[in-house]
Amino acid sequence: MRPDLRLCLVLGGVLLLAGCQTPRQYPDARGGDAMASLPPQQKLTPDGLVGVAPDLLERRLGQPDFRRTEPGSEIWQYGGSGCSLFVYFYPDDQGRMGSTYIDARRRQGGSADKQACIDDVAARRSAPMS
């Protein structure tokens, strides 16, 4: 078999296997069950979102509208009606991913009030779908 054909077959197999991988699991960044700090009835706050594992945030707000993954970090974006909420995840010393910073930006540009944006995003995410 020609070497270039063999290389194409190997790369094709690797790509097929990569598509079959299981979803990424995130250990809790707080070292315990942080879900207690994000109960569904509790209002989300900027300080309350720092240190939260990605899977816990996803349980509360759903999948982000945009997710950027880079080596050693992830940035999630949730869209509100007039703002975008950004959550930055980095690993701690034990390699557990946790949110380290929250930012809110107006759709027209510039910074937005973080609490107002979180409330906007949470309201849109909990609205009934028709």
Side-chain angles (χ1 to χ4, degrees), residues 3-129:
D4 55 339
L5 180 59
R6 188 176 322 156
L7 178 62
C8 287
L9 289 174
V10 169
L11 288 176
V14 168
L15 290 174
L16 283 173
L17 288 175
C20 296
Q21 79 181 51
T22 58
R24 186 170 177 183
Q25 297 295 315
Y26 302 97
D28 182 356
R30 295 183 183 189
D33 184 10
M35 196 60 191
S37 65
L38 284 178
Q41 69 278 9
Q42 183 178 338
K43 181 176 179 168
L44 297 175
T45 65
D47 289 340
L49 291 180
V50 173
V52 173
D55 64 326
L56 299 179
L57 183 62
E58 191 169 353
R59 281 189 228 162
R60 187 68 188 269
L61 291 178
Q63 292 187 4
D65 297 315
F66 176 79
R67 183 182 314 210
R68 180 176 177 171
T69 302
E70 296 191 6
S73 68
E74 287 191 28
I75 302 167
W76 290 11
Q77 177 186 359
Y78 289 95
S81 59
C83 67
S84 290
L85 177 68
F86 294 89
V87 183
Y88 297 81
F89 296 97
Y90 292 95
D92 65 10
D93 293 339
Q94 288 79 37
R96 299 176 297 206
M97 293 295 280
S99 58
T100 58
Y101 183 71
I102 308 298
D103 193 18
R105 310 296 292 171
R106 296 184 327 202
R107 290 201 180 253
Q108 303 85 357
S111 62
D113 179 82
K114 291 177 186 177
Q115 184 62 61
C117 190
I118 291 169
D119 293 344
D120 185 18
V121 168
R124 289 189 73 187
R125 293 297 177 136
S126 63
M129 299 291 198

